[in-house]
Amino acid sequence: HTVSVIPLLSTTTLFRTLSSTHQFFLDLTQQSPLLHPFIPTDLQHINCGSIQRPCLRPSFIHSFIMSSTPSRSLTSTLLQPPNYLKAEVPTAFATLRSSRACAVPRPTRGVCSPAGGRARGPSFTRRSYNSRSQRQQHSAVAGRGIVHCVPRGNSSGSGSSNSNGVGTQTNNLKWRNYASSSTVLTAAGGSTSPAEGKEEVEVLNENDISSSRGRNAVSLLPVYLTDARAVTKYDPVNAPDGALQLSVAENQMLEDVLVPALRKFSTSDNNNNNNNNKIEGLFEADQIYYQQTHGREGLRQAMAGYLGRILKLSPDQSLDLEGMVLGAGCNAVLENLCFCLTEPGNAVLLPTPYYAAFEFDLGARAGLNIVAVNTMEFNGTNFTADGGRTVPQSCYYPNAAALNAAYDKAKAAGSEPKILLLSHPNNPLGICYPTSVVEECINWAREKKVHLISDEIYAGSVYRKTNPLTGEDTFRSALTLAANGSKTTSKAGLGLGPYVHIVYALSKDFALSGLRVGVAYSENEAIRLPFQKLNDLCQISSQTQQTVEQMLSAKCDSGLWSTDEFLPENNDRIRQRSDRALLCMDECDIPYLFGDSGLFLWMDLTEFLPPSDDGGGIEESEESKDVRERILYLELMKEFGLLFTPGRSMRNELPGFFRFVFTAASDEEFDLGLERIKKYVKAKRTG
């Protein structure tokens, strides 16, 4: 007999279920009595801090997918999972990602590790049926998400069937994975010849119908996203105890301003920029044809004017419109820019902590290796990360010593460093780098002939304009600093030379992540044509470009809305939220960085980490740091309904730090979030 395994859902959904409940185990045993001998009757209880809940052993989950014989399954069931899997069931997902059943290798977390080697998919055999009716009967139940048995005849001379047609013997079981009622995928090795008279269903090999690079790309996504998608989200009516989503970098405080304005912009006269001629100006004839691949000239002009204001260019400075590329989001133009500047396998240096999705954005297709620039040991500050004193802000600043160490490490690993990527203002720290830090990075990059890309997507969300200690401007763009210090000249633009570039988008400052409007600016003429042509794959629709052009070029007296009016209002709202979040931190005596920009607060929750087996501190093993922070992260999310971004997912050097996106909630949800933080701290300190 052949045991036919119909996937309960997709792999991600399966482990979403496993991470929150053992209903999968119940469904499995109730729907498939034949599998009873192979499923452990005892559920292993795993203690995660204050969390204690039943779950399937990760080793059993792995063997369930991988097994080809009962003896192998039974043997694997008795194996204990490795230590790093004991923290919580969702970490078993990392094991499955490297299995041939999932065909997505687990990524190596080394300094310059590629996305992962090519994975061999399962070898698939044909599925045979005795009759058309048997195949139809099988197809009818294929979508129910159950595990069941289908008799395959008695050609081997063994096996029998009960009255329901379910085999009772378990000799020579082979796991089979049915992706749909019409496509049969099996993970069993070898093949069998169908008996005469049986119908055959065409079997497709995974490597024939998909690419390993496509399957491997998802392994670059942060693991915490699986947990975040699995947890029940807060709803005031249906899930009042659900988790508050405070980890996505969105600004949900502006709908009352944005939506009415966008409706007016999208229906106002495209030429007169007023509100008197609506429908007639909705669409112009030239918008139905192909557009310039790097963006409509009108939008590039409007974007250049807007960037000149927020980046504080001097009156005699102007951007070169041919060096500007407008594409479908910041990640799209960033990837294309890096594609034009590098070869596959080159290294991108990134100061830690950094935006976690950079690893996917630059590794999935461009094939670049992210090399973390660890800064703490190069800033000469002694500290203890035990909750008594947090890491000083200056410890996060990249300097020449830290950059040289990362550069040499990448070279030693065989990956040529070609890009230094700065997040300025910084995500996740919520701060701007001082002028001296940015200048040091620019000088270092030019000396090393490494391209510096400044991601300035939060440039319009600097809500504290001056440094309270120095009185200097909080934010100065890399463009202005590079232009002032450049030793080269250019016919047009700022005289940046070939090594300095910036990227920006409307997703953060304008809370318009759904419009997908990003921009990159470079004065490197060697990449101009390929960069513009690559953008053909991610252009913005002509209608969206027209609407955004209206929005960016509107004047204060237009009767609509001006960016000069909107940005100050947005900054005021962000600052008010930030002040309330800081007040909560002070009341709870939680260390934090004093933010001045962006949408988030960097919190130090190391006080609440579970104890380390090797003493903790900088010398603690990376595995121990990950496990301890994950326990704290799951406790906050599942027990107290607080979903923050864990710092280790952003390659922070120390565990226990979290990004709190205080703009990602409504007023009611934000108030509830602060109450839950206070409740958590009180419970931990008095418990």
Side-chain angles (χ1 to χ4, degrees):
H1 294 76
T2 299
V3 174
S4 304
V5 179
I6 289 81
L8 287 166
L9 290 169
S10 66
T11 303
T12 303
T13 307
L14 169 62
F15 282 91
R16 186 180 304 163
T17 304
L18 288 173
S19 69
S20 58
T21 178
H22 61 283
Q23 188 63 40
F24 167 77
F25 175 84
L26 300 178
D27 291 345
L28 190 67
T29 55
Q30 291 171 3
Q31 299 279 1
S32 184
L34 181 64
L35 291 178
H36 285 178
F38 309 111
I39 301 174
T41 56
D42 58 313
L43 291 177
Q44 182 181 13
H45 283 72
I46 299 176
N47 191 349
C48 303
S50 62
I51 308 172
Q52 192 176 54
R53 34 189 289 274
C55 57
L56 286 171
R57 297 179 186 175
S59 58
F60 167 73
I61 300 168
H62 184 271
S63 64
F64 174 75
I65 300 294
M66 295 293 292
S67 300
S68 60
T69 64
S71 59
R72 179 178 175 184
S73 178
L74 284 168
T75 302
S76 299
T77 301
L78 300 176
L79 297 177
Q80 290 294 324
N83 289 333
Y84 70 87
L85 288 179
K86 289 184 179 179
E88 185 55 53
V89 163
T91 52
F93 183 70
T95 302
L96 281 174
R97 286 195 305 193
S98 63
S99 72
R100 60 176 181 169
C102 294
V104 180
R106 183 182 181 184
T108 304
R109 292 300 185 184
V111 51
C112 290
S113 61
R118 292 180 62 87
R120 293 183 57 85
S123 58
F124 297 119
T125 60
R126 291 183 178 272
R127 175 72 183 92
S128 302
Y129 297 94
N130 290 321
S131 66
R132 181 182 299 274
S133 61
Q134 186 185 73
R135 180 176 62 183
Q136 292 173 342
Q137 179 183 9
H138 178 82
S139 298
V141 299
R144 294 181 187 172
I146 62 173
V147 179
H148 68 114
C149 292
V150 177
R152 204 184 66 181
N154 209 12
S155 59
S156 64
S158 64
S160 60
S161 299
N162 58 23
S163 59
N164 296 323
V166 178
T168 56
Q169 286 201 12
T170 57
N171 294 334
N172 302 317
L173 294 179
K174 296 180 184 291
W175 299 112
R176 290 179 179 265
N177 176 10
Y178 288 77
S180 68
S181 59
S182 60
T183 303
V184 182
L185 305 175
T186 69
S191 62
T192 58
S193 300
E196 185 176 354
K198 294 182 180 179
E199 291 192 10
E200 296 184 3
V201 176
E202 181 182 3
V203 179
L204 301 177
N205 188 292
E206 187 180 39
N207 291 323
D208 292 336
I209 61 176
S210 66
S211 69
S212 61
R213 65 179 179 179
R215 298 190 300 268
N216 295 350
V218 296
S219 69
L220 298 172
L221 293 172
V223 176
Y224 82 90
L225 291 178
T226 303
D227 303 313
R229 293 182 182 127
V231 71
T232 300
K233 302 301 189 299
Y234 170 81
D235 183 273
V237 177
N238 300 318
D241 295 325
L244 292 166
Q245 176 57 274
L246 302 170
S247 65
V248 178
E250 286 188 325
N251 187 344
Q252 298 188 14
M253 303 187 298
L254 300 168
E255 288 184 13
D256 62 317
V257 177
L258 284 172
V259 176
L262 288 173
R263 286 173 178 163
K264 293 179 180 179
F265 284 127
S266 62
T267 57
S268 63
D269 188 290
N270 290 337
N271 298 314
N272 298 327
N273 196 13
N274 61 52
N275 202 28
N276 298 322
N277 185 17
K278 286 191 173 182
I279 302 301
E280 291 79 358
L282 179 62
F283 215 89
E284 297 294 338
D286 68 332
Q287 292 177 241
I288 68 175
Y289 301 109
Y290 288 121
Q291 309 292 304
Q292 289 181 290
T293 57
H294 55 308
R296 291 169 62 93
E297 183 176 1
L299 177 55
R300 284 184 285 124
Q301 289 176 341
M303 183 66 74
Y306 166 72
L307 290 177
R309 294 195 300 274
I310 68 166
L311 302 183
K312 300 179 181 179
L313 299 182
S314 64
D316 60 336
Q317 292 178 318
S318 61
L319 301 179
D320 180 2
L321 295 185
E322 292 304 306
M324 181 178 296
V325 175
L326 295 157
C330 194
N331 54 355
V333 295
L334 174 62
E335 181 195 41
N336 285 341
L337 176 59
C338 293
F339 192 96
C340 294
L341 296 174
T342 63
E343 302 293 343
N346 286 164
V348 177
L349 309 184
L350 258 170
T352 60
Y354 55 74
Y355 169 57
F358 278 144
E359 296 181 2
F360 176 84
D361 295 345
L362 303 182
R365 293 190 299 190
L368 301 178
N369 300 321
I370 301 299
V371 180
V373 180
N374 293 326
T375 59
M376 292 186 181
E377 66 177 293
F378 300 100
N379 279 290
T381 303
N382 296 321
F383 62 89
T384 58
D386 57 2
R389 178 185 175 190
T390 192
V391 180
Q393 180 171 312
S394 59
C395 271
Y396 295 107
Y397 296 161
N399 55 30
L403 295 173
N404 284 331
Y407 184 95
D408 294 342
K409 196 172 185 179
K411 295 274 285 188
S415 189
E416 184 68 22
K418 297 296 290 186
I419 291 175
L420 168 60
L421 178 56
L422 296 182
S423 176
H424 174 58
N426 186 273
N427 175 11
L429 298 178
I431 61 171
C432 297
Y433 288 130
T435 297
S436 60
V437 172
V438 180
E439 287 178 329
E440 185 174 5
C441 290
I442 292 172
N443 294 334
W444 180 90
R446 283 174 169 161
E447 180 182 346
K448 292 284 190 180
K449 295 185 178 181
V450 168
H451 295 278
L452 183 141
I453 302 176
S454 184
D455 180 352
E456 302 186 357
I457 195 171
Y458 294 98
S461 297
V462 180
Y463 53 88
R464 304 190 202 279
K465 302 299 184 182
T466 58
N467 187 313
L469 299 179
T470 65
E472 298 178 350
D473 288 344
T474 301
F475 171 75
R476 290 194 66 188
S477 170
L479 282 192
T480 61
L481 297 175
N484 291 340
S486 175
K487 296 180 181 179
T488 62
T489 60
S490 176
K491 296 179 181 179
L494 304 176
L496 298 176
Y499 290 108
V500 178
H501 328 264
I502 73 160
V503 291
Y504 179 78
L506 303 184
S507 303
K508 310 303 180 182
D509 294 343
F510 289 92
L512 295 175
S513 54
L515 263 62
R516 310 309 301 145
V517 178
V519 57
Y521 181 77
S522 172
E523 295 180 1
N524 183 333
E525 295 187 3
I527 68 168
R528 184 157 292 181
L529 181 59
F531 192 15
Q532 292 176 356
K533 185 55 183 174
L534 277 172
N535 199 63
D536 198 12
L537 304 175
C538 55
Q539 290 187 77
I540 311 166
S541 73
S542 59
Q543 180 58 27
T544 299
Q545 291 193 56
Q546 185 66 56
T547 300
V548 174
E549 178 186 340
Q550 291 281 89
M551 182 183 72
L552 295 181
S553 57
K555 305 299 182 181
C556 293
D557 58 354
S558 64
L560 290 173
W561 169 52
S562 167
T563 56
D564 294 333
E565 297 171 328
F566 170 77
L567 289 179
E569 173 66 21
N570 182 30
N571 289 174
D572 286 343
R573 296 188 184 192
I574 297 175
R575 183 171 55 253
Q576 290 172 16
R577 278 281 180 97
S578 174
D579 289 343
R580 291 191 58 199
L582 296 182
L583 180 61
C584 177
M585 297 296 108
D586 289 336
E587 291 178 0
C588 296
D589 196 23
I590 296 175
Y592 58 86
L593 287 187
F594 185 78
D596 53 41
S597 52
L599 313 176
F600 19 74
L601 175 67
W602 188 245
M603 305 183 298
D604 179 356
L605 301 181
T606 53
E607 173 189 354
F608 308 112
L609 284 169
S612 170
D613 294 335
D614 52 11
I618 296 179
E619 302 303 323
E620 181 182 4
S621 69
E622 298 302 306
E623 182 182 54
S624 174
K625 294 176 184 178
D626 290 341
V627 170
R628 291 205 298 145
E629 182 175 280
R630 178 170 174 75
I631 292 173
L632 175 55
Y633 165 70
L634 292 173
E635 180 182 53
L636 286 163
M637 179 175 64
K638 296 183 178 181
E639 298 298 306
F640 292 87
L642 293 167
L643 180 51
F644 300 127
T645 313
R648 292 290 290 174
S649 73
M650 298 180 161
R651 302 292 181 250
N652 194 47
E653 295 182 55
L654 296 172
F657 292 76
F658 291 81
R659 185 185 70 169
F660 172 15
V661 185
F662 49 75
T663 62
S666 65
D667 290 339
E668 175 201 355
E669 292 169 345
F670 179 68
D671 292 340
L672 180 59
L674 298 183
E675 291 302 317
R676 288 184 177 182
I677 292 174
K678 296 174 184 178
K679 179 180 178 182
Y680 171 76
V681 171
K682 182 178 180 181
K684 296 295 289 185
R685 288 176 178 162
T686 61

